[in-house]
Amino acid sequence: MYIKGFIANSEKHFEGELIGEWITFPISEEELNEVLKRIGVGENNYICPKCKNHMEELEYDSFYNLYSYRCESCGHEEKHENPLHTYKEYIFYDWCCDFEHDFSAYENIEDINYYAEQLKFWDKYTLRAACECWLAKTVLNEEPNNFVLYPLCYDEKTLGLYYASKINCINFHDDEVLKKYFDFERYGRDLALSMNGNFTNYGYIRQF
């Protein structure tokens, strides 16, 4: 199970240029700072027009009223009458997860780190089923034990059959004729209406 986000320089994005990279959560503060530096977000992170890497502010020439900058990677230098604009904001341009999600462009990184840490406590099929029925952020704030997945129950009939035969909620006393004429679909329909759950691509899931 994984959560990946494409983090981008938001101001550059709104200027029509996409500068960013994929990160995998959870991510440490040190790793995040390195990423932000590479995409030009933060104090004194100026982007080189040639190689798109960091440009360092060298000095201010008060006589000519010029600011000097040098690229740390390719050595390109520039002089400007005004200080270069500092890009301080980021957005998430895209998300990649192996479950349905409701993550937006303006997610808090600490929250996503928490959700990513929670993944190790979940059965992947139970989580995928739950995220078909409820918002992923809501699900990941719940205890995994609050959800139960019945993987072979895809409709009311199979749900009724599972409860009646597998869990033995109904005792047929080994009477195959009685079992043959029992209305498992109607029984499953009543069960589904009485439980907080839904049918999904992974089976029937209920929340306690």
Side-chain angles (χ1 to χ4, degrees), residues 82-142:
N82 298 305
L84 292 179
H85 179 62
T86 301
Y87 296 96
K88 298 183 179 181
E89 301 295 333
Y90 62 82
I91 62 170
F92 286 99
Y93 183 78
D94 198 7
W95 292 95
C96 181
C97 309
D98 52 356
F99 55 90
E100 291 188 23
H101 64 84
D102 54 316
F103 303 139
S104 70
Y106 301 100
E107 294 295 341
N108 182 292
I109 288 180
E110 290 184 3
D111 290 342
I112 303 298
N113 271 341
Y114 172 77
Y115 299 144
E117 291 286 356
Q118 293 302 105
L119 293 180
K120 61 187 176 184
F121 302 111
W122 280 85
D123 167 75
K124 63 180 179 180
Y125 298 111
T126 304
L127 177 62
R128 288 172 181 171
C131 290
E132 285 188 16
C133 306
W134 299 278
L135 297 177
K137 289 188 286 188
T138 300
V139 171
L140 289 170
N141 274 311
E142 295 280 349

Side-chain angles (χ1 to χ4, degrees), residues 22-184:
W22 285 100
I23 58 176
T24 300
F25 292 90
I27 186 170
S28 68
E29 184 176 354
E30 293 76 15
E31 292 171 325
L32 177 62
N33 287 336
E34 286 300 315
V35 171
L36 294 178
K37 181 178 179 180
R38 288 195 295 270
I39 67 174
V41 174
E43 293 294 338
N44 300 324
N45 279 285
Y46 309 129
I47 300 299
C48 175
K50 290 190 173 182
C51 68
K52 305 302 181 183
N53 286 310
H54 176 77
M55 291 190 73
E56 180 184 11
E57 183 176 343
L58 298 179
E59 59 183 13
Y60 170 65
D61 188 333
S62 58
F63 183 80
Y64 293 101
N65 192 32
L66 291 174
Y67 296 84
S68 299
Y69 300 88
R70 178 190 294 130
C71 177
E72 295 178 337
S73 299
C74 69
H76 173 71
E77 293 191 11
E78 288 190 0
K79 295 182 182 295
H80 296 271
E81 292 183 358
N82 298 305
L84 292 179
H85 179 62
T86 301
Y87 296 96
K88 298 183 179 181
E89 301 295 333
Y90 62 82
I91 62 170
F92 286 99
Y93 183 78
D94 198 7
W95 292 95
C96 181
C97 309
D98 52 356
F99 55 90
E100 291 188 23
H101 64 84
D102 54 316
F103 303 139
S104 70
Y106 301 100
E107 294 295 341
N108 182 292
I109 288 180
E110 290 184 3
D111 290 342
I112 303 298
N113 271 341
Y114 172 77
Y115 299 144
E117 291 286 356
Q118 293 302 105
L119 293 180
K120 61 187 176 184
F121 302 111
W122 280 85
D123 167 75
K124 63 180 179 180
Y125 298 111
T126 304
L127 177 62
R128 288 172 181 171
C131 290
E132 285 188 16
C133 306
W134 299 278
L135 297 177
K137 289 188 286 188
T138 300
V139 171
L140 289 170
N141 274 311
E142 295 280 349
E143 290 292 330
N145 291 335
N146 290 345
F147 298 84
V148 174
L149 176 67
Y150 304 112
L152 300 178
C153 302
Y154 297 102
D155 53 30
E156 293 165 345
K157 184 175 181 179
T158 52
L159 179 64
L161 182 62
Y162 181 84
Y163 261 79
S165 301
K166 302 296 183 181
I167 303 184
N168 296 320
C169 290
I170 296 178
N171 190 349
F172 292 100
H173 301 288
D174 297 324
D175 189 331
E176 293 301 319
V177 174
L178 179 61
K179 184 183 297 185
K180 180 180 180 180
Y181 289 100
F182 185 80
D183 193 338
F184 291 104

